[in-house]
Amino acid sequence: MTVGTGAGLDTADMVLNIGPQHPSTHGVLRLKLTLDGERVVTCEPIVGYMHRGAEKLFEVRDYRQIIMLANRHDWLSAFSNELGVVLAVERLMGIEVPERATWLRMALAELNRVLNHLMFLGSYPLEIGAITPMFYAFRERETLQAVMEEVSGGRIHYMFNRVGGLKEEIPAGWTKRARQAVAAVRRRMPDIDNVIRRNDIFMARTVGVGVLSAADAAAYGASGPVARASGLDFDVRRDEPYLFYDQIDVPVVTRTSGDCHARFEVLLEQVLVSLDLIDECLDRVDRTGGPVNVRLPKVVKAPEGHTYAWTENPLGVNGYYLVSRGEKTPWRLKLRTASYANVQALATLIPGCLVPDLIAILGSMFFVVGDIDK
């Protein structure tokens, strides 16, 4: 495209590809940019470089095997991904999950949420030059990973959900150790807050940068921390409760400015909310006896029909649309992932910004590329 300057000198817009190399991001994404000098005129996010065909793989796995695959599309939210699948299957089969298993699921889902957020709270400042928050964030992650590993045997892919409940009973004394870990993380969270939230350089890079309006967030189907930072006050746990979220109070953290800094603040404060929710769920676990799963037939078959189960995953709304024809494998299992919807908003967010702001905006969208390319 040629632009006349009026001085007899023509300039041309430059088309620049960012990616699809892997610059220490969570996967491979390509942005096709049109630049006028250092200002971005248009942005086209191009996805699919990691595509693994998860939805088709689901169709040739039985309901126990699918949990292992679902675990991996957003590898920072593995427990929450498992949970969505088993909720869909249980709903179709009419299974009533034991009360103790439900409270445990909620505690573990919130632990997984904190682990996810801590990763981004450390890696986002790192992407724009702040190294120290990464060390603090990983210190807290390791504290919580220890209790997650003790209960499930896994550090990233927990494989602890089962259709009808959980894999097994938790170890003796686990709730006490989990409470101690939560208390330690809550006590040390101000370290991350104090070192970065009001840092002058961090604020210069994030305040007023990459503004996503509430209308645009809604139009693109954005959800989770990204949407709530723009003022969309929606959380599936509170507004369409699943498990026992209707029995507890779920505070929803929102901001209205919709910029990079607001997204970071929402993530930071959601960690504190989830730590409180974990304590409440652990108290309920201690007061609730009984089994943590139900006996299933050797071959699990969902009856003919269809259902949709959605959950508030750490990065936003995650949905599974399950269609069964009465076999041991789903006829169709469609994913609605948070990152896929959120990253579409880059087409609106990035035009008008400067090239140096690209990394600050990209990092603040908190996406996992496996969740986009699924």
Side-chain angles (χ1 to χ4, degrees):
M1 182 192 306
T2 301
V3 182
T5 62
L9 189 66
D10 289 336
T11 61
D13 284 357
M14 176 189 292
V15 176
L16 180 68
N17 281 293
I18 305 292
Q21 74 275 14
H22 189 315
S24 297
T25 59
H26 307 287
V28 184
L29 176 69
R30 176 183 168 206
L31 297 178
K32 185 179 177 183
L33 307 176
T34 306
L35 304 179
D36 179 10
E38 285 205 30
R39 194 166 296 279
V40 180
V41 179
T42 64
C43 169
E44 180 186 357
I46 301 171
V47 303
Y49 290 96
M50 280 184 67
H51 185 53
R52 63 190 75 182
E55 292 171 332
K56 301 308 287 182
L57 292 174
F58 290 157
E59 295 173 14
V60 290
R61 265 76 177 173
D62 68 39
Y63 291 109
R64 291 183 173 99
Q65 295 169 321
I66 284 169
I67 297 170
M68 182 273 294
L69 283 175
N71 200 294
R72 285 159 166 75
H73 57 85
D74 173 359
W75 46 81
L76 295 178
S77 310
F79 187 89
S80 302
N81 296 342
E82 300 171 13
L83 184 59
V85 172
V86 296
L87 286 175
V89 179
E90 288 161 1
R91 190 171 297 173
L92 206 53
M93 294 180 70
I95 293 175
E96 187 171 338
V97 177
E99 187 178 349
R100 181 173 173 82
T102 303
W103 285 116
L104 273 169
R105 279 179 172 179
M106 288 171 62
L108 292 166
E110 293 304 321
L111 274 166
N112 189 201
R113 190 181 312 278
V114 175
L115 286 166
N116 173 291
H117 290 358
L118 284 169
M119 173 62 81
F120 286 107
L121 289 172
S123 65
Y124 179 47
L126 182 67
E127 287 165 5
I128 51 180
I131 297 173
T132 308
M134 194 67 165
F135 298 122
Y136 286 134
F138 264 77
R139 178 186 66 182
E140 310 317 330
R141 272 179 61 85
E142 284 303 311
T143 302
L144 296 178
Q145 284 284 30
V147 294
M148 288 293 277
E149 186 174 5
E150 181 189 356
V151 78
S152 68
R155 284 178 58 83
I156 300 293
H157 303 298
Y158 305 105
M159 277 302 295
F160 199 58
N161 278 290
R162 295 291 186 272
V163 175
L166 296 171
K167 176 187 172 188
E168 59 196 5
E169 182 55 84
I170 58 175
W174 180 82
T175 55
K176 179 183 177 183
R177 291 186 290 278
R179 272 196 205 87
Q180 290 170 345
V182 167
V185 171
R186 185 187 288 110
R187 187 172 63 250
R188 298 187 304 229
M189 278 305 293
D191 291 345
I192 299 177
D193 193 335
N194 295 338
V195 82
I196 194 69
R197 191 201 295 229
R198 297 298 169 201
N199 178 282
D200 288 343
I201 299 172
F202 184 71
M203 291 184 71
R205 295 293 306 276
T206 57
V207 173
V209 174
V211 176
L212 177 66
S213 68
D216 284 339
Y220 281 105
S223 58
V226 168
R228 289 194 284 272
S230 296
L232 286 187
D233 187 6
F234 177 73
D235 190 306
V236 178
R237 294 172 297 172
R238 182 196 64 191
D239 301 324
E240 293 279 344
Y242 54 99
L243 300 178
F244 288 152
Y245 279 112
D246 56 338
Q247 298 184 30
I248 62 176
D249 178 39
V250 182
V252 178
V253 180
T254 59
R255 289 289 185 277
T256 54
S257 54
D259 59 9
C260 295
H261 198 265
R263 291 189 278 275
F264 181 84
E265 282 192 317
V266 167
L267 215 61
L268 187 63
E269 293 182 19
Q270 278 192 178
V271 167
L272 303 176
V273 168
S274 287
L275 292 174
D276 292 341
L277 294 179
I278 293 164
D279 277 342
E280 188 166 352
C281 292
L282 291 174
D283 289 343
R284 299 293 188 107
V285 169
D286 285 342
R287 299 203 301 265
T288 307
V292 294
N293 48 39
V294 299
R295 182 178 288 276
L296 293 173
K298 197 167 186 179
V299 177
V300 176
K301 292 185 177 182
E304 192 168 339
H306 60 93
T307 190
Y308 181 70
W310 63 344
T311 57
E312 185 66 39
N313 263 34
L315 298 182
V317 174
N318 189 67
Y320 291 97
Y321 178 57
L322 170 63
V323 183
S324 172
R325 290 189 170 175
E327 302 296 328
K328 66 178 182 179
T329 61
W331 184 75
R332 187 82 175 90
L333 185 53
K334 176 80 178 78
L335 269 67
R336 189 272 183 214
T337 63
S339 296
Y340 184 79
N342 290 353
V343 84
Q344 306 309 311
L346 290 172
T348 295
L349 268 184
I350 290 180
C353 82
L354 298 172
V355 172
D357 291 333
L358 276 173
I359 299 302
I361 295 171
L362 270 177
S364 75
M365 294 303 284
F366 310 131
F367 56 83
V368 171
V369 178
D371 208 35
I372 299 169
D373 290 345
K374 51 186 193 289

